[in-house]
Amino acid sequence: MSFTSKEAAAATGVSLDKTTSSIIYNATDSLTATLTGSPTLASVRWVSSNPAVATITSTGNLAATVQSVASGTTTITASPNDGTAYSATCTVTVTVRVTSITLNKTSTLLYPGNTETLTATVLPSGATNKVVNWASSAPSVATVGLTTGLVTAVATGSTNITATATDGSGIVSDTCVVTVGIRVTSITLNKTSTTISTGNTETLTATVLPANATNKVVTWASSATGVATVNSSTGLITAVSVGTTNITATATDGSGIVSNTCVVTVVVLVTSITLNKSSTTIYIGKTETLTVTVLPSGATNKSVTWSSDATGVATVNSSSGLVTAVSAGTANIKATAQDGSGVVSGTCVVTVPTVAVEADAYAAGFLSDTSVCDPTGVNNNMTAIWSSLATKYGNMSGGAKDYFYNDSSSGTNIAHAKARYHFIIVKYPTLKASNNFMKNNAGTPLYPANDNSILPIITNDKSLMMILLISALGIASMLSYFYLSRKHKHE
């Protein structure tokens, strides 16, 4: 028996079902080889030129599975296992697709003509194609550059800006809401100036226009924080030290609008006012100046305003404290600080007497001295007496003759003073006709002089004067009648 040996047939060529393949990260693809020439050994071997990008995970005689490993490119080669030099290749590209896109803002505020560039964070960081396309839902409000993310505000309103991956993943970003607003045009403060004492506070307010401005928030500032600070968001001013500072409010909408200025003056306020007197007596027509002690000594404005609660009794000069007695009674004088502190002094009670009676040794001397009974000025010894009376009741400078004159208003000759107080001469019965006590305009004596029982009564009340005068004349008439009756009887 004989055997005939047959040679194994060799492959005459090899090819793959695809020459290129694109695989996303962590995915697979399959390749199939075809041998020509009806080779006896119908199988191929598979090799990856860059296993770090893609590897062959399983093989059959003519099939292979390619597993992507990382972004990149590798060449898969298939060669017949019969040792022939034929081969076929497939270029495999592995891509990492986008899985998420996050914008740098979820909202933003712009004003017509303003621009802003949005940015996108694309993940994973190794994504093969991280390019995104931008879009605006309302281009009439704001447009956005397709590839740049540059947003341009067009008109008032709002629009949604998004970014979409271009790698075929279909990934779309979150949304940034773009609001195109209305700018501030003016800011007006509620005060142009104010005064605050050290350590105290005051809150300023700002009126922002237009009323529908999108962002009406302002930032407050002080030009001299050593004098007064201001809270940048609330407008609360705190006085620090004596001086002045300018407070302003600035719009935060980018319009650059700044308010008018409020000049803040920081002062030291008055804490107490003390009068030099708590009471005093002043006669009608006389004056007295009150003074004050104002504390603290470093008070910025130590001026006071004087006042009287009964100007019919006593007036007071509002700035000088000069009190003038007007009529009988009492008045309370006070001083009030002008610095706005509201501090008021204690009270000085001013008493203006109703009646004063001169009955001292000078009056007695006046009545007993026959040399002083001529009011015409021949004898001027009355001057000393009048000077004494002036010390108590008013300034009666001049000679005695200046203080008596004939007053016939009541139908009776009345001697009285030309000064502020009236003098009633009360006549008692010891009548003597030796020297003239007083004379009328014609030089005729009104009353005999040298009568020690005559007493001058001094009063500032004309009604009381008339009562005393009528009483005195009545008594004098009665006593004169009895005296003359007795004299006639004895004759």
Short mmCIF file of all heavy atoms in Angstrom, two decimals, residues 427-479:
data_model
loop_
_atom_site.label_atom_id
_atom_site.label_comp_id
_atom_site.label_asym_id
_atom_site.label_seq_id
_atom_site.Cartn_x
_atom_site.Cartn_y
_atom_site.Cartn_z
N LYS A 427 -50.26 164.15 104.97
CA LYS A 427 -50.26 165.32 105.87
C LYS A 427 -51.04 164.99 107.14
O LYS A 427 -52.16 164.52 107.09
CB LYS A 427 -50.90 166.52 105.16
CG LYS A 427 -50.81 167.80 105.96
CD LYS A 427 -49.37 168.26 106.03
CE LYS A 427 -49.33 169.58 106.80
NZ LYS A 427 -49.73 169.43 108.19
N TYR A 428 -50.39 165.25 108.25
CA TYR A 428 -51.03 165.11 109.56
C TYR A 428 -51.22 166.49 110.17
O TYR A 428 -50.67 167.49 109.71
CB TYR A 428 -50.19 164.20 110.45
CG TYR A 428 -50.26 162.77 109.99
CD1 TYR A 428 -49.27 162.23 109.18
CD2 TYR A 428 -51.35 161.97 110.33
CE1 TYR A 428 -49.35 160.94 108.73
CE2 TYR A 428 -51.43 160.67 109.87
CZ TYR A 428 -50.43 160.14 109.08
OH TYR A 428 -50.51 158.87 108.64
N PRO A 429 -52.02 166.66 111.24
CA PRO A 429 -52.60 167.95 111.59
C PRO A 429 -51.69 169.04 112.11
O PRO A 429 -52.13 170.18 112.14
CB PRO A 429 -53.62 167.63 112.65
CG PRO A 429 -53.36 166.27 113.09
CD PRO A 429 -52.52 165.61 112.07
N THR A 430 -50.50 168.83 112.54
CA THR A 430 -49.73 169.94 113.12
C THR A 430 -49.34 170.88 112.01
O THR A 430 -48.32 170.71 111.37
CB THR A 430 -48.48 169.43 113.84
OG1 THR A 430 -48.89 168.43 114.75
CG2 THR A 430 -47.78 170.55 114.59
N LEU A 431 -50.18 171.88 111.74
CA LEU A 431 -49.98 172.77 110.62
C LEU A 431 -49.21 174.01 111.07
O LEU A 431 -49.58 174.67 112.04
CB LEU A 431 -51.33 173.20 110.04
CG LEU A 431 -52.18 172.04 109.50
CD1 LEU A 431 -53.53 172.57 109.05
CD2 LEU A 431 -51.49 171.33 108.38
N LYS A 432 -48.17 174.32 110.45
CA LYS A 432 -47.37 175.53 110.74
C LYS A 432 -47.11 176.23 109.42
O LYS A 432 -46.90 175.60 108.40
CB LYS A 432 -46.06 175.16 111.42
CG LYS A 432 -46.27 174.49 112.79
CD LYS A 432 -44.95 174.14 113.43
CE LYS A 432 -45.18 173.44 114.77
NZ LYS A 432 -43.93 173.06 115.41
N ALA A 433 -47.12 177.51 109.44
CA ALA A 433 -46.99 178.27 108.20
C ALA A 433 -45.67 179.01 108.12
O ALA A 433 -45.58 180.01 107.42
CB ALA A 433 -48.14 179.26 108.10
N SER A 434 -44.65 178.52 108.85
CA SER A 434 -43.39 179.27 108.88
C SER A 434 -42.67 179.17 107.54
O SER A 434 -42.54 180.14 106.81
CB SER A 434 -42.50 178.74 110.00
OG SER A 434 -42.33 177.34 109.83
N ASN A 435 -42.20 177.95 107.17
CA ASN A 435 -41.48 177.76 105.89
C ASN A 435 -42.33 176.96 104.92
O ASN A 435 -43.25 176.22 105.32
CB ASN A 435 -40.16 177.04 106.12
CG ASN A 435 -39.20 177.89 106.91
OD1 ASN A 435 -39.16 179.10 106.71
ND2 ASN A 435 -38.44 177.28 107.80
N ASN A 436 -42.05 177.10 103.67
CA ASN A 436 -42.82 176.37 102.65
C ASN A 436 -42.24 174.96 102.45
O ASN A 436 -41.05 174.79 102.20
CB ASN A 436 -42.75 177.13 101.33
CG ASN A 436 -43.44 178.46 101.42
OD1 ASN A 436 -44.42 178.60 102.15
ND2 ASN A 436 -42.94 179.44 100.67
N PHE A 437 -43.14 173.97 102.60
CA PHE A 437 -42.68 172.60 102.33
C PHE A 437 -42.68 172.34 100.82
O PHE A 437 -41.73 171.83 100.26
CB PHE A 437 -43.58 171.61 103.05
CG PHE A 437 -43.16 170.18 102.85
CD1 PHE A 437 -41.99 169.74 103.39
CD2 PHE A 437 -43.94 169.33 102.10
CE1 PHE A 437 -41.59 168.43 103.20
CE2 PHE A 437 -43.54 168.03 101.91
CZ PHE A 437 -42.37 167.57 102.47
N MET A 438 -43.78 172.70 100.18
CA MET A 438 -43.86 172.57 98.72
C MET A 438 -44.64 173.76 98.17
O MET A 438 -45.47 174.35 98.85
CB MET A 438 -44.55 171.27 98.31
CG MET A 438 -43.76 170.04 98.67
SD MET A 438 -44.55 168.56 98.07
CE MET A 438 -43.48 167.34 98.81
N LYS A 439 -44.39 174.09 96.97
CA LYS A 439 -45.06 175.19 96.30
C LYS A 439 -45.68 174.69 95.01
O LYS A 439 -45.17 173.77 94.38
CB LYS A 439 -44.08 176.31 95.99
CG LYS A 439 -43.44 176.93 97.24
CD LYS A 439 -42.44 177.98 96.85
CE LYS A 439 -41.78 178.60 98.09
NZ LYS A 439 -40.78 179.63 97.74
N ASN A 440 -46.77 175.34 94.61
CA ASN A 440 -47.34 175.01 93.31
C ASN A 440 -46.65 175.82 92.23
O ASN A 440 -45.65 176.50 92.49
CB ASN A 440 -48.84 175.23 93.33
CG ASN A 440 -49.19 176.68 93.64
OD1 ASN A 440 -48.35 177.57 93.50
ND2 ASN A 440 -50.43 176.92 94.05
N ASN A 441 -47.22 175.77 91.02
CA ASN A 441 -46.57 176.45 89.91
C ASN A 441 -46.47 177.96 90.13
O ASN A 441 -45.58 178.63 89.60
CB ASN A 441 -47.32 176.19 88.60
CG ASN A 441 -47.16 174.74 88.16
OD1 ASN A 441 -46.23 174.08 88.60
ND2 ASN A 441 -48.06 174.26 87.32
N ALA A 442 -47.43 178.52 90.87
CA ALA A 442 -47.42 179.97 91.13
C ALA A 442 -46.55 180.36 92.31
O ALA A 442 -46.45 181.53 92.67
CB ALA A 442 -48.86 180.46 91.39
N GLY A 443 -45.92 179.36 92.95
CA GLY A 443 -45.08 179.64 94.10
C GLY A 443 -45.82 179.67 95.41
O GLY A 443 -45.25 179.97 96.46
N THR A 444 -47.13 179.38 95.39
CA THR A 444 -47.93 179.37 96.62
C THR A 444 -47.68 178.07 97.35
O THR A 444 -47.73 176.99 96.75
CB THR A 444 -49.42 179.49 96.28
OG1 THR A 444 -49.62 180.66 95.51
CG2 THR A 444 -50.26 179.54 97.55
N PRO A 445 -47.42 178.15 98.71
CA PRO A 445 -47.17 176.92 99.46
C PRO A 445 -48.37 175.98 99.43
O PRO A 445 -49.52 176.42 99.54
CB PRO A 445 -46.90 177.42 100.87
CG PRO A 445 -46.53 178.83 100.72
CD PRO A 445 -47.29 179.36 99.55
N LEU A 446 -48.06 174.71 99.24
CA LEU A 446 -49.12 173.71 99.28
C LEU A 446 -49.39 173.27 100.72
O LEU A 446 -50.54 173.08 101.11
CB LEU A 446 -48.72 172.48 98.44
CG LEU A 446 -48.57 172.74 96.93
CD1 LEU A 446 -48.07 171.48 96.26
CD2 LEU A 446 -49.89 173.18 96.34
N TYR A 447 -48.31 173.03 101.44
CA TYR A 447 -48.43 172.62 102.83
C TYR A 447 -47.41 173.37 103.65
O TYR A 447 -46.30 173.61 103.18
CB TYR A 447 -48.19 171.11 102.99
CG TYR A 447 -49.15 170.26 102.20
CD1 TYR A 447 -48.74 169.67 101.02
CD2 TYR A 447 -50.45 170.08 102.65
CE1 TYR A 447 -49.61 168.90 100.29
CE2 TYR A 447 -51.32 169.31 101.93
CZ TYR A 447 -50.91 168.71 100.75
OH TYR A 447 -51.77 167.96 100.03
N PRO A 448 -47.77 173.72 104.89
CA PRO A 448 -46.74 174.29 105.79
C PRO A 448 -45.67 173.25 106.04
O PRO A 448 -45.94 172.06 106.09
CB PRO A 448 -47.51 174.63 107.05
CG PRO A 448 -48.93 174.70 106.63
CD PRO A 448 -49.09 173.71 105.51
N ALA A 449 -44.47 173.70 106.22
CA ALA A 449 -43.36 172.78 106.46
C ALA A 449 -43.12 172.57 107.94
O ALA A 449 -43.88 173.03 108.78
CB ALA A 449 -42.10 173.33 105.80
N ASN A 450 -42.01 171.91 108.24
CA ASN A 450 -41.55 171.72 109.61
C ASN A 450 -42.47 170.82 110.42
O ASN A 450 -42.60 170.99 111.62
CB ASN A 450 -41.41 173.07 110.32
CG ASN A 450 -40.09 173.17 111.05
OD1 ASN A 450 -39.22 172.35 110.83
ND2 ASN A 450 -39.95 174.18 111.88
N ASP A 451 -43.16 169.87 109.73
CA ASP A 451 -44.06 168.97 110.45
C ASP A 451 -43.44 167.59 110.49
O ASP A 451 -43.30 166.93 109.47
CB ASP A 451 -45.41 168.93 109.74
CG ASP A 451 -46.46 168.21 110.57
OD1 ASP A 451 -46.06 167.45 111.45
OD2 ASP A 451 -47.66 168.42 110.31
N ASN A 452 -43.03 167.15 111.72
CA ASN A 452 -42.32 165.88 111.86
C ASN A 452 -43.21 164.66 111.64
O ASN A 452 -42.72 163.53 111.60
CB ASN A 452 -41.69 165.77 113.25
CG ASN A 452 -40.54 166.74 113.40
OD1 ASN A 452 -39.99 167.18 112.40
ND2 ASN A 452 -40.20 167.09 114.63
N SER A 453 -44.50 164.87 111.58
CA SER A 453 -45.39 163.71 111.42
C SER A 453 -45.65 163.36 109.96
O SER A 453 -46.41 162.45 109.67
CB SER A 453 -46.72 163.96 112.13
OG SER A 453 -47.36 165.08 111.55
N ILE A 454 -45.06 164.13 109.04
CA ILE A 454 -45.23 163.82 107.61
C ILE A 454 -44.30 162.67 107.23
O ILE A 454 -43.12 162.69 107.55
CB ILE A 454 -44.93 165.05 106.75
CG1 ILE A 454 -45.94 166.16 107.06
CG2 ILE A 454 -44.99 164.69 105.27
CD1 ILE A 454 -45.66 167.43 106.34
N LEU A 455 -44.84 161.66 106.54
CA LEU A 455 -44.04 160.48 106.17
C LEU A 455 -44.19 160.23 104.66
O LEU A 455 -45.30 160.12 104.15
CB LEU A 455 -44.54 159.24 106.92
CG LEU A 455 -43.85 157.93 106.57
CD1 LEU A 455 -42.40 157.97 107.05
CD2 LEU A 455 -44.59 156.77 107.20
N PRO A 456 -43.08 160.18 103.94
CA PRO A 456 -43.19 159.84 102.51
C PRO A 456 -43.39 158.34 102.32
O PRO A 456 -42.67 157.55 102.91
CB PRO A 456 -41.86 160.29 101.93
CG PRO A 456 -40.92 160.13 103.07
CD PRO A 456 -41.70 160.43 104.32
N ILE A 457 -44.36 157.95 101.55
CA ILE A 457 -44.60 156.54 101.25
C ILE A 457 -44.32 156.34 99.77
O ILE A 457 -44.84 157.06 98.92
CB ILE A 457 -46.04 156.13 101.57
CG1 ILE A 457 -46.29 156.31 103.07
CG2 ILE A 457 -46.30 154.69 101.14
CD1 ILE A 457 -47.69 155.99 103.48
N ILE A 458 -43.51 155.36 99.49
CA ILE A 458 -43.05 155.13 98.12
C ILE A 458 -43.76 153.90 97.56
O ILE A 458 -43.78 152.85 98.20
CB ILE A 458 -41.54 154.90 98.09
CG1 ILE A 458 -40.83 156.08 98.76
CG2 ILE A 458 -41.05 154.71 96.67
CD1 ILE A 458 -39.43 155.78 99.11
N THR A 459 -44.34 154.03 96.39
CA THR A 459 -45.03 152.88 95.79
C THR A 459 -44.92 152.96 94.27
O THR A 459 -44.82 154.02 93.70
CB THR A 459 -46.50 152.82 96.21
OG1 THR A 459 -47.11 151.72 95.53
CG2 THR A 459 -47.25 154.09 95.82
N ASN A 460 -44.97 151.82 93.64
CA ASN A 460 -44.98 151.79 92.18
C ASN A 460 -46.37 151.48 91.66
O ASN A 460 -46.56 151.19 90.50
CB ASN A 460 -43.99 150.77 91.63
CG ASN A 460 -44.30 149.37 92.11
OD1 ASN A 460 -45.27 149.16 92.82
ND2 ASN A 460 -43.47 148.42 91.72
N ASP A 461 -47.34 151.48 92.54
CA ASP A 461 -48.71 151.15 92.17
C ASP A 461 -49.55 152.42 92.20
O ASP A 461 -49.82 152.97 93.28
CB ASP A 461 -49.27 150.11 93.14
CG ASP A 461 -50.60 149.56 92.67
OD1 ASP A 461 -51.35 150.32 92.05
OD2 ASP A 461 -50.87 148.38 92.95
N LYS A 462 -49.96 152.93 91.03
CA LYS A 462 -50.70 154.18 90.99
C LYS A 462 -52.04 154.07 91.70
O LYS A 462 -52.52 155.02 92.31
CB LYS A 462 -50.89 154.63 89.54
CG LYS A 462 -49.61 155.13 88.90
CD LYS A 462 -49.89 155.72 87.54
CE LYS A 462 -48.62 156.30 86.94
NZ LYS A 462 -48.86 156.91 85.63
N SER A 463 -52.66 152.88 91.60
CA SER A 463 -53.96 152.70 92.28
C SER A 463 -53.78 152.84 93.79
O SER A 463 -54.56 153.50 94.48
CB SER A 463 -54.54 151.33 91.94
OG SER A 463 -54.79 151.24 90.56
N LEU A 464 -52.72 152.14 94.28
CA LEU A 464 -52.46 152.24 95.71
C LEU A 464 -52.12 153.68 96.09
O LEU A 464 -52.52 154.18 97.15
CB LEU A 464 -51.31 151.30 96.09
CG LEU A 464 -50.88 151.34 97.55
CD1 LEU A 464 -52.04 150.94 98.46
CD2 LEU A 464 -49.70 150.41 97.76
N MET A 465 -51.39 154.36 95.23
CA MET A 465 -51.02 155.74 95.50
C MET A 465 -52.27 156.60 95.67
O MET A 465 -52.38 157.40 96.59
CB MET A 465 -50.18 156.28 94.35
CG MET A 465 -49.75 157.73 94.51
SD MET A 465 -48.96 158.35 93.02
CE MET A 465 -50.41 158.63 92.03
N MET A 466 -53.24 156.42 94.79
CA MET A 466 -54.45 157.23 94.88
C MET A 466 -55.24 156.93 96.13
O MET A 466 -55.80 157.81 96.78
CB MET A 466 -55.32 156.98 93.63
CG MET A 466 -54.68 157.47 92.33
SD MET A 466 -54.24 159.23 92.39
CE MET A 466 -55.86 159.95 92.64
N ILE A 467 -55.27 155.59 96.49
CA ILE A 467 -55.99 155.22 97.72
C ILE A 467 -55.35 155.90 98.92
O ILE A 467 -56.02 156.49 99.78
CB ILE A 467 -56.00 153.70 97.89
CG1 ILE A 467 -56.87 153.07 96.79
CG2 ILE A 467 -56.51 153.32 99.27
CD1 ILE A 467 -56.78 151.57 96.73
N LEU A 468 -54.00 155.81 98.97
CA LEU A 468 -53.30 156.43 100.09
C LEU A 468 -53.50 157.94 100.08
O LEU A 468 -53.66 158.58 101.14
CB LEU A 468 -51.81 156.11 100.02
CG LEU A 468 -51.45 154.64 100.29
CD1 LEU A 468 -49.98 154.43 100.02
CD2 LEU A 468 -51.80 154.25 101.72
N LEU A 469 -53.48 158.51 98.89
CA LEU A 469 -53.65 159.96 98.79
C LEU A 469 -55.02 160.39 99.27
O LEU A 469 -55.18 161.32 100.07
CB LEU A 469 -53.44 160.39 97.34
CG LEU A 469 -53.67 161.88 97.04
CD1 LEU A 469 -52.69 162.71 97.86
CD2 LEU A 469 -53.53 162.16 95.57
N ILE A 470 -56.05 159.65 98.78
CA ILE A 470 -57.42 160.01 99.19
C ILE A 470 -57.59 159.85 100.70
O ILE A 470 -58.17 160.70 101.38
CB ILE A 470 -58.42 159.15 98.43
CG1 ILE A 470 -58.40 159.52 96.94
CG2 ILE A 470 -59.83 159.32 98.98
CD1 ILE A 470 -59.15 158.56 96.06
N SER A 471 -57.01 158.73 101.21
CA SER A 471 -57.11 158.50 102.66
C SER A 471 -56.41 159.62 103.41
O SER A 471 -56.91 160.15 104.42
CB SER A 471 -56.50 157.15 103.02
OG SER A 471 -57.19 156.12 102.38
N ALA A 472 -55.22 159.96 102.94
CA ALA A 472 -54.44 161.00 103.62
C ALA A 472 -55.16 162.33 103.59
O ALA A 472 -55.24 163.06 104.60
CB ALA A 472 -53.07 161.12 102.98
N LEU A 473 -55.71 162.68 102.44
CA LEU A 473 -56.42 163.96 102.33
C LEU A 473 -57.67 163.98 103.19
O LEU A 473 -58.02 164.99 103.80
CB LEU A 473 -56.78 164.22 100.87
CG LEU A 473 -55.59 164.51 99.93
CD1 LEU A 473 -56.08 164.65 98.50
CD2 LEU A 473 -54.85 165.75 100.39
N GLY A 474 -58.33 162.78 103.25
CA GLY A 474 -59.51 162.71 104.09
C GLY A 474 -59.20 162.93 105.55
O GLY A 474 -59.86 163.68 106.26
N ILE A 475 -58.15 162.25 106.01
CA ILE A 475 -57.75 162.41 107.42
C ILE A 475 -57.30 163.83 107.67
O ILE A 475 -57.64 164.45 108.68
CB ILE A 475 -56.63 161.41 107.73
CG1 ILE A 475 -57.16 159.97 107.66
CG2 ILE A 475 -56.05 161.69 109.13
CD1 ILE A 475 -56.09 158.93 107.76
N ALA A 476 -56.53 164.38 106.71
CA ALA A 476 -56.06 165.75 106.89
C ALA A 476 -57.21 166.73 106.97
O ALA A 476 -57.21 167.67 107.78
CB ALA A 476 -55.12 166.12 105.75
N SER A 477 -58.22 166.50 106.13
CA SER A 477 -59.38 167.42 106.14
C SER A 477 -60.11 167.36 107.46
O SER A 477 -60.49 168.40 108.06
CB SER A 477 -60.32 167.04 105.00
OG SER A 477 -59.69 167.22 103.76
N MET A 478 -60.30 166.13 107.95
CA MET A 478 -61.02 165.97 109.23
C MET A 478 -60.25 166.63 110.37
O MET A 478 -60.81 167.38 111.19
CB MET A 478 -61.23 164.48 109.53
CG MET A 478 -62.23 163.81 108.57
SD MET A 478 -62.34 162.05 108.87
CE MET A 478 -62.94 162.09 110.57
N LEU A 479 -58.96 166.36 110.41
CA LEU A 479 -58.15 166.91 111.50
C LEU A 479 -58.07 168.43 111.39
O LEU A 479 -58.07 169.15 112.40
CB LEU A 479 -56.77 166.29 111.48
CG LEU A 479 -56.73 164.79 111.81
CD1 LEU A 479 -55.33 164.26 111.66
CD2 LEU A 479 -57.24 164.54 113.23
#
